Amino acid sequence: MPTLKLDLSANGIARLTLNRPERHNAFDEAMIGDLTGVFTTLGANPLVRVVVLNGAGESFCAGGDLNWMQRAAQKSAAENAQDALALARMLHAINVCPKPVIALIQGACFGGGVGLVAACDIVIAAPDARFGLTEVRLGLIPAAISPFVLAKMGTSAARRYFLTGERFSAEEARRLGLVHEVKAGLDAAAAPLIDALLASGPEAVADAKALIADVAGRFVDEDLLGLTAQRIAARRACDEGREGIAAFLEKRKPGWVR
């Protein structure tokens, strides 16, 4: 059985499903490699406008497959480190994908599954979704996922949940910033967000995503002011920016709206 299912619609919506429901979509080396490859490919595909990530079955993702982790631990130190690096690079591929990524979360979302959530742009959780950074319960730490999770939930929350391994609710995940909305009917909840993204310039969306990464956490100095000025100046002068402004003034839809 393939670890992923991909459906690309005519309007540019790529629906990507984690497809190991019998393992609660826990990832192993195969799924990690597949996710890295798929997000790299989708990011480079000009026909793709939005990626929607979900999980088959009753869970979104239960984290790392314990059989995979046991196999990795039996490898040499160098091989074990490379195996862990593959996970970190997979999360990075999602995080920097130039397409907006919406995650829809149901059921269990534990350990590395929280890392997947943190690497996505927009997250909607079902009311009964359950979260947890449970690595310490296994004598492990959430190392590879930590840069992405810390960027979403902050240091204070991490100092509790990284250390206790507690499970927490969808509403708590929303309060912490891991989740944007908690709603029943995940597909229906995602629909207006998809519509909003399709109404936006695809190149502008990619640039806006890159802008966040480039500006977040930086001290506001002349270098940063210059960078932001250059970025908006480039947008105003590019074909997509000119088309967007002209369409607004002419009271018509821009060319990227199908």
Side-chain angles (χ1 to χ4, degrees), residues 41-168:
T41 300
L42 293 176
N45 187 342
L47 299 178
V48 174
R49 298 285 304 277
V50 181
V51 181
V52 179
L53 178 66
N54 60 16
E58 64 185 51
S59 298
F60 173 71
C61 178
D65 187 305
L66 294 181
N67 292 320
W68 158 62
M69 289 193 279
Q70 190 174 56
R71 288 195 301 272
Q74 294 169 350
K75 295 178 179 180
S76 70
E79 290 172 330
N80 192 1
Q82 281 300 120
D83 194 82
L85 184 59
L87 169 59
R89 285 176 171 161
M90 178 268 283
L91 296 168
H92 180 67
I94 300 172
N95 194 57
V96 301
C97 178
K99 314 299 180 177
V101 182
I102 301 173
L104 306 180
I105 315 302
Q106 86 285 357
C109 181
F110 299 145
V114 177
L116 285 178
V117 167
C120 295
D121 299 302
I122 303 170
V123 183
I124 306 172
D128 61 351
R130 307 179 311 282
F131 297 81
L133 292 148
T134 52
E135 288 87 348
V136 289
R137 300 292 179 94
L138 301 172
L140 305 174
I141 57 173
I145 70 173
S146 60
F148 311 98
V149 177
L150 280 166
K152 284 290 181 73
M153 66 190 290
T155 303
S156 178
R159 290 180 73 155
R160 172 175 176 172
Y161 291 107
F162 277 25
L163 307 186
T164 64
E166 295 170 88
R167 297 182 181 187
F168 51 94

Side-chain angles (χ1 to χ4, degrees), residues 182-219:
V182 177
K183 289 187 176 179
L186 294 175
D187 288 331
L193 292 168
I194 293 172
D195 290 343
L197 291 165
L198 293 178
S200 304
E203 294 173 9
V205 169
D207 277 357
K209 184 168 178 176
L211 179 69
I212 296 166
D214 292 342
V215 171
R218 287 187 54 173
F219 180 73

